[in-house]
Amino acid sequence: KDFMAKFKTNHKVVSAKADLSLDYKEMEGLLTKWQKPEDNDKLLVIEKELQTVTELMRKNLEEILKKGEKLEELMAKSKDLSGVSVSFYKKAKKNNQCCSLYQSKTFILILT
């Protein structure tokens, strides 16, 4: 806009030599500034941030899935351990009943 206001032409075709003679001091600064458009263009900056956030979210989801798998493994191991402990309890109770019967028979024999 600034350039157009300063160098208004009647939309005539001018030669390249005429373009070289234009005195627009801000042009050098603008050219230097826009050498890296990703730093100056708001849309490119937003796209870059969006890509960064998307990558971070993908990594987080992968970690959550891994933790979920580990949690499922722990739940399966816990279920197995629960089954083993119930079996152990039943066998121990059965063995203790035999022992208490044996002890009570011995006690009865001693009393008689």
Side-chain angles (χ1 to χ4, degrees), residues 7-21:
F7 299 102
K8 237 183 192 182
T9 62
N10 295 329
H11 301 289
K12 294 184 208 173
V13 177
V14 258
S15 69
K17 289 183 180 181
D19 286 346
L20 290 174
S21 66

Side-chain angles (χ1 to χ4, degrees), residues 17 29 57 65 92 102 108:
K17 289 183 180 181
M57 291 304 296
L65 291 173
Y102 179 74
I108 293 173

Side-chain angles (χ1 to χ4, degrees), residues 49-103:
E49 288 177 4
L50 183 62
Q51 287 175 349
T52 304
V53 170
T54 303
E55 183 63 31
L56 181 65
M57 291 304 296
R58 283 187 182 143
K59 287 180 183 177
N60 287 341
L61 286 174
E62 287 175 8
E63 288 179 17
I64 288 171
L65 291 173
K66 286 179 185 175
K67 288 180 182 179
E69 289 171 1
K70 289 180 182 177
L71 185 59
E72 288 174 2
E73 288 175 15
L74 284 174
M75 292 294 288
K77 287 179 182 179
S78 172
K79 192 173 181 179
D80 290 344
L81 185 60
S82 177
V84 169
S85 66
V86 167
S87 175
F88 176 77
Y89 171 76
K90 287 179 181 178
K91 286 180 183 178
K93 187 174 179 182
K94 186 176 179 181
N95 288 338
N96 284 341
Q97 285 176 351
C98 290
C99 291
S100 37
L101 277 174
Y102 179 74
Q103 287 177 351

